[in-house]
Every structure is written in C-alpha cells, then in structure tokens.
Amino acid sequence: MSDRWWVEAHLGLRAHHVESSGGHTVDELIVPGLRRNPRRAHLWVSTVLGKHIPVAPSAILRAADDLADLATAELSRRGLDTDMTVFGFAETATGLGHCVAHRMAAAVYLHSTRRTHPQTPVFATFTEGHSHATDHRISPTDADLIAGPGPLVLVDDEISTGDTALDAIASLQAVVPREVYVVASLVDMRSDDDRARCAAAARDLGVDVAFVSLARGRAEIPADLVDRVLALPAPDASPRAAGAPSGPVDTVVIPWSASVPDGGRHGFLVGDEPAFADHVRLAADALAERLDAEAPVVVIGHEELMYLPLRIAADLEQRGWDARSQTTTRSPAHVFDHPGYPLRHGMEFLAPEARWSGEATRRHLYNAAAGEPGTQRVLVVDTPADTAELMSPDGVVAALTGAGRALLVAVVGATDFVALARARSDS
C-alpha cells in the first residue's frame, strides 16, 4: 500500500501533479500527512527534506542541487547569476536553503530563525500565517550580510499560497531594497488564484519575483478537514519523555572555531565553507570512532540546525556508512501507526532552550525512534541547546533512550551570536 492512500481514502486530502521540472513529480516529493493545527490541518511530508522522515543525505543533496540549478538558470536568463544571496525559511528549509547556497556558490547564506535570545538583535521580521510557530526573525551578525548588490534567492520546501514568501520580500524590501527575487521550492502547490495574487503583490512592491520548483502541483483539501482532524483520537504513538534516560548515553563535544558559523542562522559567507568542511570532517571522525560502521545510523539535528547534521551524515555516507539525516521540529503532527500513513511514530519532549527562550516549550520528533533494531542514533545540538533541559527526565535524550536504546549526543562547540559577531569584526 502506498504511503499516501490512507489520508486520501479516509479524508480526501490529495496532492495532484501538474508539471515537472527535471523529471521530478509531486507524487515522488511529498506524501499527505496531518497536523493538529486549527489554522491548517494538512502537512505535505517531504520525502527528500530530512525533517519528518529520515532520508539518505545523498537524496537530500541531489534534490537541493536540482533546485539550485533551476534557480541559477532563472537568474542566468536575466544575466544575474553572480553575487547572489540565498535566504532559507525556518524551520524546515534551513538545511535545504544552505544546500542550495552551496551549490550556487552564493556570496551569503542566511536563514530566518524562531530562536530568541536577549543578546541577539533582530534585523527584520515577517510572519507565516498557517504555521504552528508564525514569527520569523532575521538576525545576521551584520546588516550588510543581507544587503548585497545582487539578487536574492528565497528557499522553502513547499509553497502553499506564496503569502509567506511575499511577506518576507515586503519586509526585506523595506530595509534593503533590490530589484529581483527568485523563490525556489521543492514543490509549488499554489492555485491559479494564488499565482495571480503573487504577481499582483510583486507589482505593488515594484519588484521582479520569479518562482521555480522541482514540481508543481494542485492541492485538493476538503473544506471540513480541520474539524475532522481535530476530532480524530489523540495520537496513539506520540509518547512524552518520562524519567531519566534508560539507555546508554555517550556524549562527545565537537571543537569548533569561534570564527566559523555552524549554519546560516546569523549568516554564512562563501569564504566560510573551507573551514566549515574541515570542521565537519573532524566531527565525522569523532563520531565514527564511537559508532559501529556495520550498523545503520540516523544523525538527528535539533530543529533549525539541519545543515550541519546533514553534512556530517553525508560524510559518513561517503565513507560507506548506511546513514540517514533528519531533525526535530516544533510542529505537532498527527501520529498514526498505520502502514498507509507517513507519520507512524513520534515523541514529544521539552525544548532544550525552554528556560531562557520564553517561547512554546514542547518539541517533536517523528519516525527516527522507530526503524530496524540496531539502528544507531546520533543527536547533534549546538551550545545554546546544551542545557539541563536537554538531559532532563522530560527532555529529548530521555525520549530517544526509551526502552533501553543507546544514544550518542554530539555537542557542537559552535559560537553564539555575540562570539561570531566579535570574531568577524576582528577578522
């Protein structure tokens, strides 16, 4: 039975393929799922993103490379395929955006963030109306990082209506105006009305906005879907962490230079890549010493920290390991243990940053805790998430080590905003 048949057959939620770019189809890229959100109850679960489903790094990188090539071709038609800046949307497209930026050799990569910290200034904000967490913040170490002379490529995993992209463009246009934007996504599910509204919004802003995607589709969403999903029984496979870790936990601290960003939350320059690659290789070396090369491994990132865990998993995969990559999320999806549904297993836990963030405190992880017996799990967190809550009885480590499962926790000794800004100002 195909993963998509349960939701289609029982709730009438469907994603119809309309148009391909480079051989990709909507059916191959997304699977209909559900989430318990009164604003939007459907969830297009990506098969190539590494968020809700563990995915081979090579598959993620292939999809991202194809998307980057589409964006490059779009800019080339305008003679603008140099000096571009790439911007990724939190939380799901932070890694995808970085992959696109890497492929395009973008001068700067930056992604929005939902992490708040009193020492981190906010350059601009925008909202995502249908999301579980609606607010996006833009927090580069220097405003000049987002004010480059070239075009801006915005990357998201899925475009539903285009409203979030246009809201982000409007916010950026108010502080760092430019003439050309390209919105790149794995799938574009906009209706004809949505596309017309996006074109009108771009005209009102006085900018050129092009949309590219691996595949374009059409969503069939029953009018009563939200009510029907909220009426479903509570998730039957979404346990909360409870009690101290019951399986063995090994922790390794990965050394990281203060001048090298661990991702794009505060800006990543094209010149940062060589040192970043060196650090990734050292991290993979440290993990390989503690893991069984003959057993599968899932490298799990923390929320917006998607790219670094992906690159570590890719390094292991290139060495011949059976490696997968995915991350935790803020989104409370509907879990249902049925062979025709993509979110069969899940867990809920306390956010490691709960003490100082002042935000919603529950986080989620899907499918990674299942899998075949003997699968190894590596949790990668940055230093702001290396808190008492991480190891608390209600934290993600306790959840992942339930039923006696082993876990390797890799703490990346990466910089916070202040340290990175200082290192860059001194360089």
Side-chain angles (χ1 to χ4, degrees):
M1 178 182 291
S2 169
D3 278 347
R4 58 183 48 82
W5 297 138
W6 188 89
V7 173
E8 289 188 359
H10 292 269
L11 294 175
L13 173 65
R14 294 176 175 85
H16 299 279
H17 178 71
V18 173
E19 185 179 32
S20 295
S21 297
H24 297 274
T25 67
V26 167
D27 290 346
E28 295 170 347
L29 294 171
I30 57 174
V31 178
L34 306 172
R35 59 181 179 179
R36 305 182 71 81
N37 184 334
R39 288 184 292 270
R40 192 174 90 164
H42 66 280
L43 174 67
W44 302 122
V45 179
S46 174
T47 62
V48 296
L49 187 64
K51 173 56 74 171
H52 298 92
I53 298 174
V55 180
S58 54
I60 299 172
L61 293 170
R62 278 196 302 271
D65 286 351
D66 289 348
L67 183 58
D69 292 347
L70 289 174
T72 299
E74 188 66 34
L75 291 174
S76 295
R77 283 192 282 273
R78 293 167 167 79
L80 298 171
D81 53 349
T82 59
D83 294 324
M84 78 286 292
T85 298
V86 175
F87 181 88
F89 287 91
E91 66 178 62
T92 53
T94 57
L96 176 66
H98 206 145
C99 292
V100 168
H102 179 67
R103 175 75 165 187
M104 298 180 75
V108 177
Y109 173 64
L110 178 71
H111 68 72
S112 62
T113 181
R114 287 165 173 148
R115 176 185 277 178
T116 61
H117 195 283
Q119 292 182 300
T120 303
V122 177
F123 176 70
T125 63
F126 61 96
T127 60
E128 184 178 3
H130 64 257
S131 176
H132 178 68
T134 60
D135 295 335
H136 289 252
R137 301 170 182 86
I138 303 174
S139 299
T141 53
D142 190 318
D144 289 342
L145 293 181
I146 196 67
L152 184 66
V153 179
L154 298 100
V155 181
D156 209 349
D157 58 313
E158 171 235 327
I159 299 296
S160 296
T161 64
D163 290 345
T164 300
L166 267 298
D167 192 9
I169 290 170
S171 296
L172 291 168
Q173 196 69 5
V175 289
V176 283
R178 51 183 21 104
E179 296 180 356
V180 177
Y181 295 84
V182 174
V183 180
S185 60
L186 296 174
V187 294
D188 185 342
M189 303 298 289
R190 291 178 300 158
S191 66
D192 290 342
D193 288 345
D194 292 331
R195 296 162 72 86
R197 190 176 64 255
C198 288
R203 287 194 299 271
D204 290 344
L205 289 170
V207 295
D208 177 5
V209 181
F211 286 80
V212 299
S213 62
L214 297 185
R216 189 160 62 87
R218 177 176 59 84
E220 183 179 344
I221 305 170
D224 61 348
L225 183 65
V226 170
D227 292 337
R228 293 174 66 188
V229 172
L230 293 178
L232 290 172
D236 57 6
S238 187
R240 294 192 177 199
S246 61
V249 180
D250 187 11
T251 301
V252 56
V253 176
I254 308 296
W256 203 273
S257 171
S259 61
V260 180
D262 59 2
R265 183 181 280 118
H266 304 304
F268 190 101
L269 308 178
V270 66
D272 291 327
E273 170 57 30
F276 179 84
D278 288 341
H279 284 65
V280 167
R281 184 172 58 256
L282 293 174
D285 288 342
L287 298 180
E289 291 179 359
R290 291 167 166 80
L291 296 169
D292 180 359
E294 302 303 316
V297 59
V298 179
V299 182
I300 304 166
H302 172 53
E303 209 168 307
E304 295 171 2
L305 188 69
M306 294 188 72
Y307 188 65
L308 174 57
L310 167 63
R311 286 284 296 269
I312 293 173
D315 189 295
L316 294 174
E317 186 183 33
Q318 290 170 358
R319 302 182 192 197
W321 292 59
D322 179 4
R324 299 288 185 273
S325 177
Q326 77 166 122
T327 62
T328 64
T329 176
R330 296 183 177 216
S331 179
H334 183 77
V335 174
F336 179 50
D337 192 8
H338 188 282
Y341 185 71
L343 301 162
R344 297 184 60 182
H345 304 277
M347 57 181 59
E348 180 181 298
F349 52 88
L350 180 68
E353 306 94 334
R355 179 171 33 176
W356 52 262
S357 69
E359 300 176 278
T361 60
R362 307 309 299 182
R363 299 292 185 264
H364 309 268
L365 179 64
Y366 303 101
N367 295 316
E372 59 269 32
T375 297
Q376 304 168 103
R377 295 168 182 85
V378 178
L379 176 66
V380 181
V381 299
D382 56 2
T383 46
D386 182 22
T387 63
E389 287 78 10
L390 180 72
M391 297 289 184
S392 74
D394 198 24
V396 62
V397 170
L400 279 167
T401 57
R405 290 184 295 261
L407 179 68
L408 175 58
V409 179
V411 179
V412 181
T415 60
D416 59 15
F417 177 90
V418 174
L420 179 60
R422 183 180 300 114
R424 284 193 161 154
S425 66
D426 293 341
S427 63

